[in-house]
Amino acid sequence: MPSIAIANAAARHPLRRMLPPPPPLVLPKGEPMGDRQLFLLTFCAGFLAFYGFLL
């Protein structure tokens, strides 16, 4: 049974090998969510879930 995933990078399509490598993924380092923002987010989510159950 042939393997679906090919581990050899040289076995990929020739046109894909001509493309430049993708840029590295850099995640932004933001501030953590404050207490007020977290409270408002959970309050709104709970309100929407409760209102959704009523409909």
Side-chain angles (χ1 to χ4, degrees):
M1 174 180 247
S3 175
I4 294 174
I6 299 175
N8 188 0
R12 295 193 323 185
H13 197 275
L15 294 176
R16 284 193 72 167
R17 283 189 272 152
M18 291 185 345
L19 293 173
L25 179 64
V26 178
L27 299 175
K29 294 181 180 178
E31 292 291 323
M33 195 177 296
D35 288 339
R36 289 183 186 162
Q37 287 177 326
L38 185 60
F39 172 75
L40 286 175
L41 179 68
T42 54
F43 180 80
C44 291
F47 177 77
L48 289 174
F50 182 73
Y51 188 71
F53 287 131
L54 288 179
L55 295 178

